[in-house]
């Protein structure tokens, strides 16, 4: 597409008619108990260590109405439980670290401020999802979370990228479950915010290509991605009244790959590890299995022999940007949720898998 100088000039003329913030329209300070996402700077650029939301929102909130559950209540309950994990990761980072923990790593001096802003956005998501659940249903509260970071700022930054791409993928997948049209749009709008968080990290933290090619990756079974985040929940720490997370939950065996044996780029061989000794996939002799790879809008199945346990990442996928997801299924292209028997695993192509350390990054 070509823009003439004249067109650019006329675009510039249009700009002042946009509602740019002025002192009278700028968000006013609202006390945390009443703060509304989209109206309060607490969800935008508040830099304090204290959570930006009032304690009355920081717990499970029982149903108050007797009416029927809203059509998307289950979806938003699952999403709220996931958001507690994401918000808590950032809140722990804001609590634990100081600006110098990041400048010591050679990062820009606004890194801590950006992390606080992302924390604020995630707090806004909590309030948005709480409000999307009807009064006929419980709003799940936070559990205790262990991210295994050992107070390491670089481990936090690696996990941050992983969490953002996970949430981009499960938000895209959740839109397949949404009943109300407005829910679909809300999921898309939130997903775009998570993408901005990821782009910030790729640019300012990892100094790499911020783009992911023409499309981010679609994985059809969002609850399976949500389920993998149960690994961060301290067992038994959730409020007793919380519903199962996610619901429905398959509890599939988690997949990892042996990170030091591969570049994990298209065309390279990978070997899987099923790390939980009490949750191993069950392979039947003589049955066919497939490693089903997802990248962009593409799905590619590769024959998987459990005894050999080595598959090649499809070499037709474009170069090292975005993510590749993989699960193991007993049918080509995993046409149903039930055909998936392990996974999914998210393989980060950026900022480069080998820059990231176990247990999150592969
Ligand atoms: C932060 O970095 C910018 C750009 O390098 C510099 O201009 C600014 O003075 C720094 N601010 C502080 C508070 O160090
Ligand atoms: C945290 O420490 C434990 C125990 O020393 C270690 O196994 C784990 O790999 C560390 N995690 C990170 C992210 O460095
Ligand atoms: C969603 O929008 C489509 C297109 O306007 C409309 O046909 C459909 O009835 C809407 N669905 C709901 C649940 O409102
Ligand atoms: C790769 O990792 C495995 C187990 O994590 C370890 O036994 C092996 O020595 C590592 N190999 C290299 C080349 O680092």
């Amino acid at each position: 597409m070509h823009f003439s100088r004249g067109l650019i000039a006329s675009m510039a003329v249009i700009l002042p008619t946009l509602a740019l913030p002025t002192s009278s329209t700028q968000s006013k300070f609202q006390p945390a108990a009443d703060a509304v996402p989209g109206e309060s700077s607490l969800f935008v650029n508040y830099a304090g260590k204290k959570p930006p939301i009032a304690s009355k929102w920081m717990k499970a909130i029982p149903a108050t109405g007797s009416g029927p559950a809203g059509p998307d209540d289950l979806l938003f309950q699952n999403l709220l439980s996931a958001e507690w994990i994401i918000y808590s990761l950032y809140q722990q980072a804001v609590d634990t670290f100081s600006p110098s923990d990041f400048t010591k790593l050679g990062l820009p001096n606004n890194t801590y401020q950006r992390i606080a802003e992302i924390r604020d956005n995630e707090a806004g998501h909590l309030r948005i999802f709480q409000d999307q659940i009807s009064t006929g249903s419980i709003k799940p509260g936070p559990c205790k979370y262990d991210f295994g970071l050992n107070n390491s700022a670089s481990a936090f930054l690696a996990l941050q990228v992983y969490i953002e791409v996970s949430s981009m993928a499960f938000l895209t997948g959740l839109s397949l479950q949404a009943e109300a049209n407005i829910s679909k749009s809300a999921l898309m709008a939130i997903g775009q915010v998570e993408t901005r968080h990821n782009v910030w990290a790729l640019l300012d933290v990892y100094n790499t290509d911020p783009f992911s090619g023409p499309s981010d990756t679609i994985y059809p079974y969002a609850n399976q991605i949500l389920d993998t985040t149960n690994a961060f929940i301290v067992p038994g720490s959730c409020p007793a009244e919380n519903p199962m997370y996610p619901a429905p939950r398959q509890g599939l065996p988690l997949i990892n790959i042996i990170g030091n044996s591969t570049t994990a780029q298209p065309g390279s061989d990978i070997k899987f590890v099923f790390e939980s000794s009490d949750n191993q996939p069950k392979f039947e002799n003589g049955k066919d299995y497939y490693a089903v790879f997802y990248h962009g809008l593409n799905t590619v199945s590769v024959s998987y022999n459990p005894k050999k346990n080595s598959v090649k990442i499809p070499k037709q996928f474009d170069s090292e940007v975005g993510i590749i997801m993989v699960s193991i299924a007993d049918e080509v292209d995993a046409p149903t949720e039930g055909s998936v028997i392990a996974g999914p695993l998210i393989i980060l192509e950026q900022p480069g898998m080998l820059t990231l350390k176990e247990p999150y990054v592969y």
Side-chain angles (χ1 to χ4, degrees), residues 179-181 184:
E179 297 279 345
N181 286 330
K184 297 173 194 169

Side-chain angles (χ1 to χ4, degrees), residues 75-91:
L75 184 162
F76 283 108
Q77 286 175 321
N78 284 332
L79 188 49
L80 178 55
S81 292
E83 186 60 57
W84 278 119
I85 300 174
I86 300 170
Y87 161 79
S88 301
L89 172 70
Y90 288 105
Q91 184 60 49

